[in-house]
C-alpha cells in the first residue's frame, strides 16, 4: 500500500465472496462503505476515494477480519 502514499485518488475493492458483514469498515469510513439492513455483505458507496482518506482506508484494510478489502491506483482497478 505504500505505493499509494501520494496518490490523489485510490480505488477501493470489496471482495463480496470474502465479506462477512462485520461492519468494521463502515465504522471507519461510512462515506465509502455501507452495510444495508439485512444485507449479508457490506457494499461500496464509492469505489474511488480521495487520497486524503488513505490512512482510514488502510485502517479498514488492516482491520477487516475477512480480508475482503484491497486498494489500488484507479488506473489499476480490477
Amino acid at each position: 500500500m505504500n505505493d499509494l502514499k501520494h496518490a490523489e485518488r485510490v480505488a477501493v475493492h470489496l471482495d463480496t465472496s470474502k465479506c462477512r458483514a462485520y461492519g468494521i469498515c463502515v465504522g471507519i469510513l461510512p462515506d465509502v462503505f455501507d452495510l444495508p439492513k439485512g444485507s449479508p455483505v457490506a457494499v461500496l458507496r464509492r469505489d474511488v476515494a480521495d487520497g486524503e482518506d488513505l490512512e482510514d482506508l488502510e485502517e479498514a484494510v488492516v482491520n477487516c477480519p475477512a480480508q475482503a478489502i484491497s486498494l489500488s491506483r484507479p488506473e489499476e482497478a480490477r
Side-chain angles (χ1 to χ4, degrees):
M1 283 183 273
N2 289 337
D3 62 322
L4 298 173
K5 188 175 183 178
H6 300 290
E8 290 183 24
R9 310 282 284 159
V10 178
V12 183
H13 311 281
L14 178 64
D15 185 338
T16 56
S17 69
K18 291 181 178 180
C19 181
R20 297 293 176 257
Y22 292 109
I24 295 169
C25 57
V26 178
I28 295 170
L29 270 173
D31 60 322
V32 175
F33 302 97
D34 190 22
L35 189 55
K37 187 174 183 167
S39 177
V41 296
V43 296
L44 290 175
R45 289 180 175 263
R46 16 183 209 129
D47 59 0
V48 177
D50 294 329
E52 62 191 33
D53 289 329
L54 182 59
E55 188 174 319
D56 289 335
L57 289 166
E58 289 176 336
E59 182 180 347
V61 169
V62 169
N63 287 290
C64 178
Q67 298 181 335
I69 304 166
S70 61
L71 308 173
S72 70
R73 291 187 178 276
E75 61 272 11
E76 299 170 3
R78 303 174 233 163

